Amino acid sequence: MTRRDMIAAGAVAASTALAQTGNPAAPKVWSGEYTARKGSVSLAMFRKRMAAPRAGEQPLPVLFLVHGSSISSRPSFDLTVPGHGEYSVMNTFAQRGFDVWTMDHENYGRSSRTESNSDIAGGVEDLKAGIELVVRETGRQKVHLCGESSGALRAGAYAMAKPERIDRLVFTAFTYKGDNSPTLTERAKQLDFYRTNNLRPLDRDMIRSIFTRDKAGTSDPALAEFLADQELKFGEQVPTGTYLDMTSHLPIVDPAKVLAPVLLVRGEYDGIATMDDLADFYKRLPNGDRQFIVLPGMAHSVGLGLNRHLFWHVMHAFLTMPGEKPSGAA
């Protein structure tokens, strides 16, 4: 991998100028709620943009956010922590001109509760239902897809199944084969439990551990408490399917079958995937339009860390890159 391939995270430090954290003068964002159907399963969907949609308007670029294993969609992507600033990726990218969507997967948040363990394959079916609703509502045939952790695996597996629906892909806290992963090694000790139970416990201590297990001090402690307040409203259990997949079924995403441009983002201290694991994935991607960025001072969840403005900057830059010139053009 060349230096040109690996974009130095330090080069994005100036991105603080783009952050709108806690800005009381920021314009009000329009929001809407929808329901997608996957057979008998109802999937709760949420949308934000700068103004209500109007018939006949030019469609905005769509950004669809895919949550991970333990936290549902809006606590993952739509938090503003009182007295501690803006964490909402939805607000941030709506203010930058995107039509931003997210969805609670089956057995998460406000979506249907079933007997499923909500594994990666089930998440792909959720995305098929949700993104078709987005296409109908927006008129946009392709979406930018950003997934975090197991949400990145869902997003990657969806991109393999429905390449015609993908514009650009962003994977954060992603794992490929999981080799030498401290987090997955520890998690695999519970493999028998994941195989025999469709739900696992979720409590405040577990939520706190998301922000401390890799590197304490990379997130605001107040964030974990506020996020726990929001997430535990939905109950104290979450599905085991993604944990089972990540400890026994990797690799799930075949880089050779991911045809869209890819931004691969890793927090400096993320314990889910090693640099070698992600570099192996990166070099196998077939599209020359790809970037691998390591963000300093960040752990597993780059969207909820103290340096989250760096993530906002690199994703915005990637999603708004100018088109490639034809060969021979001046």
Side-chain angles (χ1 to χ4, degrees):
M1 200 170 6
T2 66
R3 183 175 300 175
R4 186 181 182 90
D5 288 328
M6 178 74 77
I7 296 177
V12 303
S15 65
T16 51
L18 287 173
Q20 299 185 19
T21 302
N23 180 4
K28 185 173 178 60
V29 174
W30 177 89
S31 63
E33 298 187 5
Y34 300 78
T35 301
R37 305 291 303 188
K38 184 182 71 171
S40 62
V41 174
S42 296
L43 300 168
M45 299 186 65
F46 310 96
R47 180 186 192 185
K48 286 195 167 184
R49 44 179 281 161
M50 284 311 300
R54 301 189 309 273
E57 70 180 351
Q58 183 70 24
L60 298 175
V62 172
L63 173 60
F64 195 106
L65 305 166
V66 189
H67 71 76
S69 297
S70 299
I71 309 297
S72 60
S73 64
R74 295 192 71 181
S76 293
F77 302 119
D78 196 26
L79 281 184
T80 299
V81 183
H84 294 263
E86 180 69 275
Y87 283 85
S88 174
V89 181
M90 298 191 78
N91 285 345
T92 299
F93 278 81
Q95 290 162 358
R96 296 179 186 180
F98 290 82
D99 195 339
V100 189
W101 293 73
T102 192
M103 175 179 67
D104 288 336
H105 284 280
E106 182 179 355
N107 290 312
Y108 288 89
R110 299 182 187 176
S111 290
S112 292
R113 295 301 193 266
T114 71
E115 297 301 315
S116 168
N117 71 350
S118 300
D119 59 6
I120 300 298
V124 171
E125 296 305 310
D126 295 344
L127 289 173
K128 288 178 181 178
I131 290 175
E132 290 310 305
L133 184 148
V134 171
V135 169
R136 293 193 300 271
E137 290 290 330
T138 66
R140 198 87 178 190
Q141 298 301 305
K142 291 188 174 185
V143 306
H144 301 308
L145 200 56
C146 171
E148 179 180 75
S149 193
S150 65
L153 293 174
R154 293 184 183 108
Y158 174 83
M160 291 192 299
K162 301 287 286 185
E164 70 276 11
R165 287 291 185 229
I166 302 299
D167 194 341
R168 301 176 82 79
L169 282 166
V170 179
F171 296 150
T172 76
F174 179 76
T175 186
Y176 176 32
K177 297 179 182 177
D179 295 341
N180 301 313
S181 164
T183 299
L184 295 183
T185 298
E186 184 64 26
R187 195 175 289 173
K189 295 176 182 178
Q190 301 296 319
L191 185 55
D192 287 343
F193 178 85
Y194 307 144
R195 284 175 170 152
T196 55
N197 293 272
N198 285 349
L199 296 173
R200 58 183 171 86
L202 179 73
D203 59 17
R204 189 170 293 270
D205 284 343
M206 191 277 160
I207 292 173
R208 289 178 183 135
S209 76
I210 297 171
F211 305 101
T212 59
R213 70 190 181 209
D214 296 328
K215 180 74 170 179
T218 55
S219 62
D220 183 344
L223 163 73
E225 301 306 319
F226 186 73
L227 188 152
D229 291 341
Q230 306 310 307
E231 184 60 37
L232 294 175
K233 293 176 182 178
F234 302 121
E236 296 182 346
Q237 291 181 307
V238 288
T240 57
T242 57
Y243 271 29
L244 177 60
D245 283 338
M246 294 172 78
T247 52
S248 63
H249 297 150
L250 293 177
I252 289 171
V253 180
D254 180 351
K257 296 179 180 178
V258 178
L259 305 181
V262 172
L263 170 62
L264 191 61
V265 181
R266 180 183 188 268
E268 178 184 8
Y269 301 110
D270 188 8
I272 278 282
T274 64
M275 288 288 293
D276 287 344
D277 187 53
L278 295 182
D280 188 20
F281 181 84
Y282 175 82
K283 71 184 181 182
R284 296 173 188 273
L285 291 167
N287 195 318
D289 185 354
R290 64 188 190 270
Q291 299 177 23
F292 180 10
I293 295 181
V294 179
L295 297 181
M298 304 284 268
H300 184 60
S301 180
V302 296
L304 296 174
L306 291 172
N307 288 332
R308 60 197 178 278
H309 56 281
L310 298 179
F311 168 57
W312 299 343
H313 175 84
V314 298
M315 181 158 73
H316 182 259
F318 179 72
L319 297 184
T320 57
M321 285 182 66
E324 183 181 1
K325 289 184 178 181
S327 178

